[in-house]
Amino acid sequence: MALLARVSAAAEAEGEPLVDLGRGNPETGPPPHVVETLCAAAARPDVHGYAPFAGLPALKEAIAARYGDVYRVDLDPAREVAVVPGSKTALMEFALVCVERDETILLPDPGYADYPSAVALAGARRGSFTGFDSIEPAAALYLNYPGNPTAEAAPAGVFEEAVRWADRTGAVVLHDFAYGDLVFEGRRPQSFLAVDGAREVGVELFSMSKSYGMAGWRLGFVLGNAELVARIEDLQNHVFAGIFRPVQEAGIAALTGPQESVEERRATYERRRNRALEVLRGIEAQSEGTFFVWFRLPDGVTAERLLAEQRVVVAPGEGFGERGAGFARLSLAVTDETLEAGLERLRTALG
């Protein structure tokens, strides 16, 4: 929010038009057949009342089928799938139903800026996860691969270590899989639930926002441990009155219809990633997945200076945790023209 305020103020100042590479808002919406399904469903007279609070069974079956086909995970759609109004909502719900007041939740550092909100809403304590070599006692652990902001794919063995740690301590694990399909250099998407024992100790969040360009539609899933899924559904029964049925039907169309757009989206971001890394050659930078590039700012260069002097927006690393200081995140979820303009300004500033 502070970044958005600075960007808004800078946009009103005189000078060259701003180039915004700071936000992770998908620039391309869902494929046409998904929009057509929504429109056709919304035109029916039977969809405007309350939808089933727990979600359409066919939608649960559709995401379970995708998990089997793409991630090699066999899920029971009736017991191991919760439908949520966006996976960001589930980040908060998980903390509320899994952690007691004053217990510790370990968060990636650097990590998605709303994870601490879940800790605060649950009245819990925040700890930092930087690896299993130095992990502290905790009630829960948030993981995120591919990760925002660091764009890191899951390191070998990290999910197995998480399961062993949770088994040993009685803690629970949440894996935020929002960017799961957006991996580069021939990597396959890696679901936490594909690891033996994972569903005994935790859940995974899947978002329709990134794979299908449905960010504003607010549709996601919690998958895995049946008890945790049931707790989240119970909470939602009291807080929400279901998700608009046409949105759910459009979700079914996305999950069960043609999948070419998912690969096209992934390939587009990889192509843009390659271009960004070419411009950032000589600077510490990485992007193994997501639609971000994480890079170290040279001495004397800050996100604020880039905004003021070059009128290009990047997200400052310190906004994602203490260990993010000195880094910045740039977004690839923009048009090619916007990316090229931003990269040219970065080239000038970074030398």
Side-chain angles (χ1 to χ4, degrees):
M1 294 303 296
L3 171 65
L4 293 178
R6 289 197 299 272
V7 171
S8 179
E12 295 177 1
E14 293 184 1
E16 292 291 320
L18 284 183
V19 178
D20 191 348
L21 303 182
R23 282 180 278 181
N25 191 11
E27 81 293 0
T28 304
H33 72 276
V34 176
V35 178
E36 291 164 6
T37 299
L38 173 77
C39 294
R44 300 201 319 260
D46 64 322
V47 300
H48 301 291
Y50 296 115
F53 284 11
L56 300 179
L59 179 58
K60 293 185 173 186
E61 291 165 5
I63 188 63
R66 178 175 180 80
Y67 259 70
D69 293 342
V70 179
Y71 313 124
R72 301 171 185 171
V73 174
D74 183 24
L75 291 167
D76 178 350
R79 297 177 58 253
E80 297 179 325
V81 177
V83 180
V84 295
S87 61
K88 177 177 175 177
T89 303
L91 294 171
M92 312 303 153
E93 294 174 336
F94 175 87
L96 292 171
V97 303
C98 295
V99 178
E100 299 295 339
R101 183 174 295 276
D102 292 328
E103 289 186 326
T104 298
I105 301 176
L106 298 178
L107 305 179
D109 184 6
Y112 177 48
D114 252 330
Y115 291 157
S117 303
V119 177
L121 288 170
R125 300 179 186 275
R126 176 182 174 182
S128 292
F129 172 74
T130 58
F132 288 99
D133 292 340
S134 57
I135 193 167
E136 61 183 286
L141 167 66
Y142 280 36
L143 295 176
N144 175 212
Y145 296 107
N148 175 14
T150 61
E152 179 187 16
V158 67
F159 293 148
E160 289 84 353
E161 286 191 89
V163 170
R164 287 193 293 269
W165 172 78
D167 274 335
R168 186 172 65 253
T169 63
V172 288
V173 177
L174 177 145
H175 179 230
D176 181 359
F177 200 39
Y179 299 90
D181 293 320
L182 304 181
V183 287
F184 307 144
E185 298 171 348
R187 293 179 174 86
R188 288 186 55 84
Q190 291 182 267
S191 167
F192 169 67
L193 298 177
V195 172
D196 288 344
R199 76 183 68 200
E200 279 71 55
V201 300
V203 293
E204 183 163 83
L205 308 188
F206 182 88
S207 170
M208 298 295 287
S209 300
K210 311 308 187 298
S211 297
Y212 295 100
M214 297 172 68
W217 299 50
R218 309 318 302 141
L219 185 62
F221 303 92
V222 182
L223 310 116
N225 184 273
E227 179 184 344
L228 301 184
V229 165
R231 291 185 193 181
I232 285 174
E233 286 195 330
D234 194 31
L235 174 61
Q236 292 197 146
N237 287 342
H238 295 282
V239 177
F240 302 112
I243 296 168
F244 188 39
R245 184 180 180 117
V247 171
Q248 295 191 61
E249 292 189 14
I252 295 169
L255 291 165
T256 62
Q259 299 297 300
E260 290 84 359
S261 69
V262 178
E263 169 55 23
E264 290 169 2
R265 193 180 302 272
R266 187 211 64 77
T268 294
Y269 292 135
E270 182 167 17
R271 173 176 56 78
R272 292 174 182 164
R273 185 285 306 252
N274 292 344
R275 176 62 180 146
L277 292 183
E278 178 184 334
V279 171
L280 296 172
R281 185 178 294 127
I283 293 174
E284 181 184 343
Q286 73 172 12
S287 179
E288 298 175 333
T290 75
F291 46 52
F292 301 117
V293 175
W294 181 247
F295 65 101
R296 184 181 292 277
L297 294 167
D299 290 344
V301 177
T302 65
E304 289 74 15
R305 281 192 61 186
L306 291 173
L307 176 61
E309 297 174 9
Q310 301 296 328
R311 294 185 64 77
V312 61
V313 182
V314 294
E318 57 268 24
F320 302 100
E322 291 182 5
R323 297 176 76 239
F327 288 83
R329 187 198 73 183
L330 70 83
S331 174
L332 306 169
V334 294
T335 65
D336 287 349
E337 293 76 17
T338 297
L339 180 63
E340 281 298 328
L343 290 176
E344 186 57 38
R345 295 185 188 187
L346 285 176
R347 188 202 305 271
T348 299
L350 303 179

